[in-house]
């Protein structure tokens, strides 16, 4: 950790929440690869950039109706294909898009480096919660495939990750927000709502960011940390066991 100031943190964290997709395992890379294949399929109708930009616009709107996840993404790809082709897309092409979605749902899960080691370390002293959002069946299947379920004292699959939903989760598990820390890759979903509740948050950025998770602002909060690797989390938790000094948005 660097950039120290006289801002003091002297607290104990009882409970740590972990995001799932793109925090404990890779997910967004599949979406990126699939939308690239969609653009390639649509080249006889429109340029790659036009297809991908239109898909992003449709995704933002459709998530309000279909929610988050691969199923909604597949429907957005179909809508994009119909729109960009002006209705000329073939049944074979629609079938291929559906098959692409199915392949995503059936794809093997790849854990992030150090994910299991970090959870095993933290579980010795903390209550661990898995807090994710998306389609219930899809997310539950991912948790099962990950082999990480036994490290968690609770698994929460939410339709949205906002201040209200986090407050409800913490109430269900009798967690004081001031003694809670959330680990995730998304500022809008994993960081801001928890900080607003009075909790702590650590961002572990991922190489790709979903269009609905983009954030171009700045977090200026002494309870916010950022690190490039999950392996740094246990060291941070040790620092919470004694007074430390740091500046807002410091890097571990």
């Amino acid at each position: 950790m660097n950039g120290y100031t006289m801002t003091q943190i002297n607290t104990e964290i009882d409970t740590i929440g972990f995001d799932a997709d793109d925090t404990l395992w890779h997910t967004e890379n599949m979406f990126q690869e699939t939308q690239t294949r969609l653009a390639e399929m649509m080249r006889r109708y429109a340029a790659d950039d036009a297809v991908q930009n239109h898909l992003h616009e449709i995704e933002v709107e459709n998530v309000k109706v279909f929610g988050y996840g691969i199923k909604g993404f597949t429907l957005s790809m179909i809508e994009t294909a119909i729109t960009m082709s002006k209705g000329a897309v073939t049944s074979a092409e629609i079938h291929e898009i559906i098959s692409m979605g199915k392949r995503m749902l059936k794809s093997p899960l790849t854990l992030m480096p150090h994910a299991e080691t970090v959870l095993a370390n933290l579980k010795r002293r903390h209550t661990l919660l898995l807090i994710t959002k998306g389609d219930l069946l899809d997310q539950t299947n991912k948790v099962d495939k990950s082999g990480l379920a036994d490290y968690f004292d609770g698994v929460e699959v939410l339709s949205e990750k906002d201040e209200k939903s986090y407050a409800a989760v913490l109430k269900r598990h009798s967690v004081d927000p001031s003694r809670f820390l959330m680990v995730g890759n998304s500022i809008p979903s994993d960081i801001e709502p928890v900080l607003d509740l009075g909790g702590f948050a650590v961002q572990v950025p991922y190489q790709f960011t979903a269009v609905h998770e983009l954030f171009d602002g700045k977090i200026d909060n002494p309870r916010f940390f950022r690190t490039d690797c999950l392996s740094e989390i246990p060291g941070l938790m040790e620092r919470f066991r004694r007074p430390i000094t740091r500046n807002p948005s410091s890097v571990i």
Side-chain angles (χ1 to χ4, degrees):
M1 184 179 298
N2 56 31
Y4 291 78
T5 70
M6 293 308 295
T7 300
Q8 294 284 336
I9 296 179
N10 184 10
T11 189
E12 287 282 345
I13 298 296
D14 299 321
T15 304
I16 304 174
F18 278 86
D19 173 50
D21 294 340
D22 303 317
T23 296
L24 293 177
W25 52 73
H26 296 273
T27 300
E28 184 58 28
N29 60 322
M30 289 194 306
F31 286 86
Q32 297 288 330
E33 292 166 2
T34 302
Q35 70 183 30
T36 296
R37 291 201 296 271
L38 175 68
E40 292 169 351
M41 286 177 57
M42 295 290 103
R43 277 179 184 164
R44 67 192 183 100
Y45 304 114
D48 289 16
D49 287 349
V51 172
Q52 295 201 27
N53 289 339
H54 192 61
L55 173 59
H56 291 165
E57 293 172 2
I58 288 177
E59 275 191 275
V60 171
E61 290 303 312
N62 282 352
V63 76
K64 303 170 187 176
V65 180
F66 302 129
Y68 301 93
I70 293 171
K71 295 174 185 176
F73 177 68
T74 302
L75 291 172
S76 293
M77 287 197 294
I78 292 172
E79 185 176 347
T80 298
I82 293 170
T83 304
M84 297 304 292
S85 70
K86 295 182 172 57
V89 64
T90 67
S91 58
E93 288 168 331
I94 295 293
H95 185 268
E96 175 57 23
I97 293 171
I98 294 172
S99 297
M100 287 158 56
K102 287 182 177 179
R103 285 195 292 270
M104 292 177 70
L105 288 166
K106 296 177 181 179
S107 177
L109 207 62
T110 303
L111 296 181
M112 294 292 185
H114 314 293
E116 186 163 11
T117 302
V118 167
L119 294 177
N121 180 305
L122 295 174
K123 188 168 178 59
R124 294 200 299 264
R125 291 178 176 170
H126 302 88
T127 297
L128 301 184
L129 300 177
L130 184 64
I131 307 174
T132 184
K133 70 179 179 183
D135 179 80
L136 179 61
L137 179 60
D138 184 23
Q139 294 302 99
T140 301
N141 286 339
K142 288 179 186 176
V143 175
D144 291 340
K145 287 193 289 186
S146 74
L148 301 178
D150 289 344
Y151 291 106
F152 293 100
D153 300 278
V155 175
E156 297 278 349
V157 180
L158 308 176
S159 57
E160 186 58 85
K161 293 169 80 173
D162 53 20
E163 185 176 349
K164 181 179 179 180
S165 60
Y166 275 107
V169 168
L170 297 186
K171 183 177 181 180
R172 277 196 294 275
H173 294 275
S174 302
V175 177
D176 182 341
S178 69
R179 299 171 71 90
F180 173 73
L181 179 140
M182 182 69 186
V183 180
N185 66 296
S186 168
I187 295 292
S189 292
D190 304 316
I191 307 302
E192 286 189 311
V194 173
L195 295 178
D196 290 342
L197 278 174
F200 293 80
V202 180
Q203 184 195 23
V204 187
Y206 189 63
Q207 58 183 320
F208 303 114
T209 303
V211 63
H212 47 266
E213 303 291 356
L214 294 173
F215 176 81
D216 58 5
K218 180 181 179 181
I219 302 294
D220 186 12
N221 190 307
R223 288 175 279 106
F224 170 60
F225 299 81
R226 182 185 291 111
T227 181
D228 292 327
C229 184
L230 284 172
S231 63
E232 301 289 344
I233 303 298
L236 173 63
M237 300 315 299
E238 286 298 320
R239 293 187 177 98
F240 270 92
R241 295 171 62 81
R242 59 182 184 275
I244 62 175
T245 56
R246 37 115 36 214
N247 71 330
S249 305
S250 67
V251 178
I252 299 171

